[in-house]
Amino acid sequence: MKYYVLGLGLLASQAGATMEVTGSAGLEQRYFLQDALYDGQERGQLSMFVAPELYTEFNEGYDSLLFKGYARIDQRDSERSHVDIRELLWLHVGDDWELRTGISKVFWGQTESLHLVDVINQTDAVEAVDLEDKLGQPMVNLSLIRDWGTTSFFVLPYFRERTFAGMDGRLRPALTVDTDNPLYESSDEEKHVDWAVRWQHTLGDWDVGLSYFDGTAREPELVLQDNDGQPVLRPYYGQMQQTGLDVLAVMGSWLLKFEGIHRNTRDGDYMAAVGGFEYTQVGVFDSVYDLGFLMEYQYDERDELAPVPSQNDLMVGTRIAFNDIDGTTVLIGYVQDLDHSDSYTGFVEASSRISDNVKWRLDAWLFSGDTATDPLYGIRRDDFVQLSLEYFF
Amino acid sequence: MKPNRLTLRSLLLPVLLSLVFSNVQAQTAEEKGLAIAKERKARDRGWGDTQADMSMILRTAHGQETERKMRVKSLEVMEDGDKGLTIFDQPRDVKGTAFLNFSHPLEPDDQWMYLPALKRVKRIASRNKSGPFMGSEFAFEDMSSFEVEKYRYRYLRDETLDGQTMFVVEHVPVDKYSGYSKMVAWVDQAHYRPFKIEYYDRKGDLLKVLTMYDYRQYLDKYWRPQRAEMYNEQTGKSTEMITHNMTFRTGLSDSDFDKNSLKRAR
């Protein structure tokens, strides 16, 4: 990592450009509301992270270099203490094209409760339960910007494995996930070259995206295996071909959102979808508050066999923006499994500024799942409240 | 010869005056208001594009203040509303957040927000135009470009403000989702520049007053205020918008105002 940074600095100094150093650092305290299910787990968990960012541009801004590092130290979980290069990217901008080479992050999709279409980056699952933190993905990405939409081509030469909480961490399955010994369908293992293409366009009130991905699936199956008499879960990364569609439509104060995928794997093919709306009312009750209502339905054709909780679930939520100087927002959500009344997730995410550089964040999650086959079963006693302070520099 | 000429002029002058006078009489207050709006827009045509560094100073009723910094790029669009891209630099937690706006004269604006932490472009339901912009006293609709078709007009009177003769014109938003029942604007007769705008809420009460200061002329034609203050009469809060430097015709084009440009905005 040091050499990359050094290299970036050298390039920048050669170009005679200035280097912009920014980033953030934070302190997080989790408190779990119930005693742990598994031995060795504690109720308190303190953690720190730093995310420095270096940026420089040259060639009159047509070229830029970006480095974004990430490091976390966790009091309890050695698997959660980790380092990552989130971005190390050279961007070249042409008249109607852009070329990104290096490590980067890409987001595809429109919905809030589930991100089905978004498959380029691996999830950094030890970071947050909402699975929105991602590991840096090596790529070459060419985007062609035309009147009829933007078409992006991706070549992804290296695969990143998903992170999992270790034995001392909470929010984990009953057994160890043996991240040191992953299984791959492809004999090229993590060196399998994946590729993808995406087209997206805005047609008046509609934002539409179509995508295709061929390569290693980002979410592993967890395979039960015997490791010297100890049962462990080994992540298995299969190959997949996924076609995705994402649509957003603006209808007055309503945003209609949809994502659907068709995925072909070794075990057959299936469809999954998520769709719903967000309705926002500004200045409620003669205040300056914005009040939003969200509802999304999640469907997975694999039904009970789906290794995800989202096979037939409904998410309802509300988003409150205080529109104050501190930028205070609160998001409250609840996801109910429609097949099993005992299976649900609830969450609150609130944040606000203390000063121009410091922000607090409060996250609270509760999980319920009484059936052993429910993906929530293993974390049913991991309800927690997390308070974070983040400093931006 | 001189006396003759004088006689001619003294004969013609009252005729001309009466012509002008009757013309004004024939024009209704609505027609005159519309004519002023059209002239205001016409005098500001052809500016092309601009880039500016801006500060917003947010003040509470108790005198606490905080500064927001941003860069604003604008593109003039003929036959439609203008395009705007705002990139935030401060506060630091929203650094890199970018707001893209395509204004339209009658349709709701098209708006997107780019969230750099998630690398996500989010569409905004632009009917919610009366909501505050970045916690300031400016609403989203106050940031949109001035288009003649957006309002119905009524000329109210002439008035002297800070030693300049102004038209006072009432604007009633055509869009029923506007946060305002009406606006009253003071526009100077010399250059058709707004110096003061009163905003009335949906109940018809005075909500906010916008005052423009330090007009500067660019390219020998286009006037821009270097400072504008929006004061909320109902809460005592205010927001001052300061232009630090502004450059015209910097070579921006449509491609600097698409969703790709949002993602690489820094």
Side-chain angles (χ1 to χ4, degrees), chain A residues 35-74:
Chain A
D35 279 331
L37 263 177
Y38 315 119
D39 285 344
Q41 290 183 322
E42 304 284 339
R43 288 182 67 158
Q45 186 177 16
L46 181 69
S47 192
M48 282 186 321
F49 68 88
V50 60
E53 200 173 314
L54 305 174
Y55 175 81
T56 187
E57 55 182 39
F58 51 98
N59 188 14
E60 293 173 350
Y62 288 105
D63 289 276
S64 65
L65 290 168
L66 168 69
F67 167 78
K68 191 175 177 188
Y70 189 84
R72 174 183 288 278
I73 301 172
D74 192 90

Side-chain angles (χ1 to χ4, degrees), chain A residues 4-299:
Chain A
Y4 283 122
V5 178
L6 208 64
L8 198 69
L10 268 173
L11 269 165
S13 59
Q14 272 171 4
T18 52
M19 173 91 71
E20 189 186 300
V21 182
T22 55
S24 71
L27 192 65
E28 283 175 10
Q29 175 68 51
R30 274 181 182 173
Y31 182 75
F32 291 90
L33 305 178
Q34 292 144 295
D35 279 331
L37 263 177
Y38 315 119
D39 285 344
Q41 290 183 322
E42 304 284 339
R43 288 182 67 158
Q45 186 177 16
L46 181 69
S47 192
M48 282 186 321
F49 68 88
V50 60
E53 200 173 314
L54 305 174
Y55 175 81
T56 187
E57 55 182 39
F58 51 98
N59 188 14
E60 293 173 350
Y62 288 105
D63 289 276
S64 65
L65 290 168
L66 168 69
F67 167 78
K68 191 175 177 188
Y70 189 84
R72 174 183 288 278
I73 301 172
D74 192 90
Q75 179 195 10
R76 307 278 180 210
D77 186 355
S78 59
E79 291 290 322
R80 201 165 180 243
S81 296
H82 68 301
V83 174
D84 184 40
I85 298 172
R86 293 288 201 238
E87 290 182 78
L88 180 61
L89 188 70
W90 166 47
L91 165 66
H92 179 80
V93 181
D95 281 342
D96 53 2
W97 58 278
E98 294 169 7
L99 182 68
R100 287 175 169 80
T101 312
I103 297 169
S104 189
K105 178 177 163 184
V106 169
F107 179 85
W108 294 350
Q110 295 290 3
T111 53
E112 305 297 325
S113 62
L114 195 61
H115 305 299
L116 292 171
V117 165
D118 185 38
V119 286
I120 294 291
N121 289 77
Q122 179 60 277
T123 299
D124 195 355
V126 294
E127 280 298 312
V129 239
D130 64 10
L131 304 181
E132 286 187 349
D133 288 82
K134 299 287 170 178
L135 294 168
Q137 170 66 48
M139 68 174 71
V140 179
N141 162 218
L142 174 70
S143 295
L144 305 177
I145 301 144
R146 300 287 185 269
D147 292 341
W148 42 267
T150 300
T151 315
S152 304
F153 302 91
F154 295 85
V155 176
L156 312 163
Y158 189 82
F159 174 78
R160 305 289 313 275
E161 291 165 40
R162 184 165 293 204
T163 56
F164 287 93
M167 286 311 275
D168 300 324
R170 295 188 66 152
L171 298 159
R172 66 167 174 87
L175 301 171
T176 315
V177 179
D178 188 3
T179 48
D180 295 331
N181 295 295
L183 298 160
Y184 290 94
E185 179 182 344
S186 165
S187 56
D188 293 333
E189 301 193 327
E190 72 272 24
K191 293 187 184 67
H192 183 272
V193 179
D194 304 343
W195 66 274
V197 59
R198 175 173 167 84
W199 169 81
Q200 61 169 45
H201 195 37
T202 298
L203 292 153
D205 293 333
W206 295 76
D207 280 6
V208 185
L210 255 179
S211 53
Y212 185 80
F213 173 95
D214 187 341
T216 310
R218 269 46 184 160
E219 59 274 66
E221 287 166 42
L222 297 177
V223 184
L224 183 63
Q225 285 206 344
D226 188 87
N227 188 2
D228 295 329
Q230 280 279 44
V232 294
L233 296 169
R234 282 179 75 180
Y236 169 81
Y237 297 98
Q239 289 291 301
M240 71 169 194
Q241 293 79 43
Q242 173 170 308
T243 309
L245 169 70
D246 55 274
V247 180
L248 181 139
V250 185
M251 307 266 176
S253 305
W254 298 75
L255 295 175
L256 306 183
K257 308 174 188 192
F258 173 84
E259 287 185 29
I261 56 162
H262 177 271
R263 187 179 286 194
N264 187 38
T265 69
R266 189 182 60 167
D267 303 324
D269 58 335
Y270 67 92
M271 283 170 66
V274 53
F277 67 83
E278 176 162 1
Y279 169 79
T280 307
Q281 207 183 344
V282 298
V284 285
F285 313 123
D286 276 332
S287 70
V288 293
Y289 292 10
D290 295 351
L291 188 61
F293 296 100
L294 299 100
M295 188 182 281
E296 286 181 7
Y297 172 69
Q298 309 168 342
Y299 170 77

Side-chain angles (χ1 to χ4, degrees), chain A residues 20 22 53 55 66 87 91 93 98 105 107 110-112 115 132 145 150 200 202 204-207 248 250 252-253 255 280 282 286 288 319 323-325 353 356-357 359 392-393, chain B residues 58-60 64 66-68 90-95 110 112 117-128 130-132 134-136 203 237 255 258-261 263-264 266:
Chain A
E20 189 186 300
T22 55
E53 200 173 314
Y55 175 81
L66 168 69
E87 290 182 78
L91 165 66
V93 181
E98 294 169 7
K105 178 177 163 184
F107 179 85
Q110 295 290 3
T111 53
E112 305 297 325
H115 305 299
E132 286 187 349
I145 301 144
T150 300
Q200 61 169 45
T202 298
D205 293 333
W206 295 76
D207 280 6
L248 181 139
V250 185
S253 305
L255 295 175
T280 307
V282 298
D286 276 332
V288 293
R319 200 197 299 274
N323 288 316
D324 56 349
I325 287 176
R353 269 187 291 276
D356 275 352
N357 294 83
K359 196 166 187 168
F392 296 85
F393 55 92
Chain B
L58 279 53
R59 293 193 178 91
T60 67
Q64 269 179 295
T66 183
E67 189 178 2
R68 302 265 182 278
Q90 199 181 296
R92 300 302 273 197
D93 62 303
V94 296
K95 184 177 158 48
D110 296 325
W112 296 266
L118 299 172
K119 302 270 170 193
R120 184 170 180 181
V121 177
K122 274 193 160 186
R123 186 88 183 238
I124 296 173
S126 60
R127 180 182 284 175
N128 303 328
S130 59
M134 291 295 288
S136 75
K203 283 177 262 165
K237 291 198 265 183
S255 67
D258 61 20
K259 285 194 283 167
N260 297 289
S261 65
K263 289 184 204 170
R264 56 171 199 259
R266 285 192 68 94

Side-chain angles (χ1 to χ4, degrees), chain B residues 22-35:
Chain B
S22 64
N23 203 16
V24 168
Q25 287 288 13
Q27 197 180 27
T28 64
E30 284 75 16
E31 284 165 349
K32 186 165 179 184
L34 179 64

Side-chain angles (χ1 to χ4, degrees), chain B residues 17-263:
Chain B
L17 271 176
S18 71
L19 269 173
V20 170
F21 192 65
S22 64
N23 203 16
V24 168
Q25 287 288 13
Q27 197 180 27
T28 64
E30 284 75 16
E31 284 165 349
K32 186 165 179 184
L34 179 64
I36 293 164
K38 280 183 171 167
E39 182 63 19
R40 176 183 161 192
K41 187 70 188 173
R43 289 190 182 214
D44 200 46
R45 279 244 161 78
W47 52 271
D49 67 87
T50 61
Q51 296 197 42
D53 293 337
M54 316 271 284
S55 283
M56 253 183 357
I57 297 168
L58 279 53
R59 293 193 178 91
T60 67
H62 319 293
Q64 269 179 295
E65 61 175 59
T66 183
E67 189 178 2
R68 302 265 182 278
K69 285 183 185 161
M70 58 209 188
R71 284 160 289 145
V72 182
K73 298 177 181 183
S74 309
L75 181 73
E76 185 177 22
V77 180
M78 299 295 180
E79 316 296 329
D80 200 352
D82 300 333
K83 295 182 178 181
L85 177 64
T86 306
I87 305 156
F88 299 98
D89 291 322
Q90 199 181 296
R92 300 302 273 197
D93 62 303
V94 296
K95 184 177 158 48
T97 302
F99 172 66
L100 179 65
N101 187 73
F102 295 176
S103 347
H104 301 298
L106 292 174
E107 295 290 299
D109 293 0
D110 296 325
Q111 298 176 332
W112 296 266
M113 188 76 90
Y114 175 63
L115 308 169
L118 299 172
K119 302 270 170 193
R120 184 170 180 181
V121 177
K122 274 193 160 186
R123 186 88 183 238
I124 296 173
S126 60
R127 180 182 284 175
N128 303 328
K129 58 204 287 182
S130 59
F133 178 75
M134 291 295 288
S136 75
E137 296 310 310
F138 287 88
F140 276 92
E141 64 184 302
D142 306 336
M143 310 292 291
S144 188
S145 68
F146 174 74
E147 307 298 337
V148 174
E149 299 87 338
K150 282 184 178 175
Y151 309 97
R152 283 182 287 111
Y153 303 88
R154 197 155 63 93
Y155 163 77
L156 298 177
R157 59 187 179 272
D158 284 355
E159 203 175 290
T160 305
L161 187 74
D162 294 331
Q164 301 186 82
T165 320
M166 307 260 173
F167 298 116
V168 184
V169 183
E170 181 187 87
H171 299 50
V172 176
V174 173
D175 186 345
K176 63 178 173 178
Y177 297 103
S178 168
Y180 311 121
S181 56
K182 68 171 183 183
M183 290 143 61
V184 177
W186 278 254
V187 178
D188 79 315
Q189 300 192 353
H191 299 289
Y192 288 79
R193 301 166 299 183
F195 276 80
K196 182 172 128 178
I197 303 175
E198 291 176 346
Y199 295 84
Y200 292 80
D201 65 16
R202 286 185 185 134
K203 283 177 262 165
D205 297 329
L206 180 61
L207 176 62
K208 302 188 291 193
V209 178
L210 178 66
T211 314
M212 278 74 131
Y213 302 94
D214 309 334
Y215 264 101
R216 208 178 125 184
Q217 195 178 28
Y218 296 87
L219 307 176
D220 293 327
K221 185 170 178 191
Y222 308 105
W223 293 92
R224 295 288 180 274
Q226 303 304 296
R227 216 154 56 79
E229 190 183 37
M230 184 71 94
Y231 181 80
N232 190 315
E233 297 284 343
Q234 296 180 0
T235 62
K237 291 198 265 183
S238 67
T239 300
E240 193 177 338
M241 187 87 82
I242 302 166
T243 307
H244 294 294
N245 52 68
M246 182 175 251
T247 36
F248 276 68
R249 295 188 186 152
T250 60
L252 296 176
S253 67
D254 277 325
S255 67
D256 295 293
F257 296 86
D258 61 20
K259 285 194 283 167
N260 297 289
S261 65
L262 263 184
K263 289 184 204 170

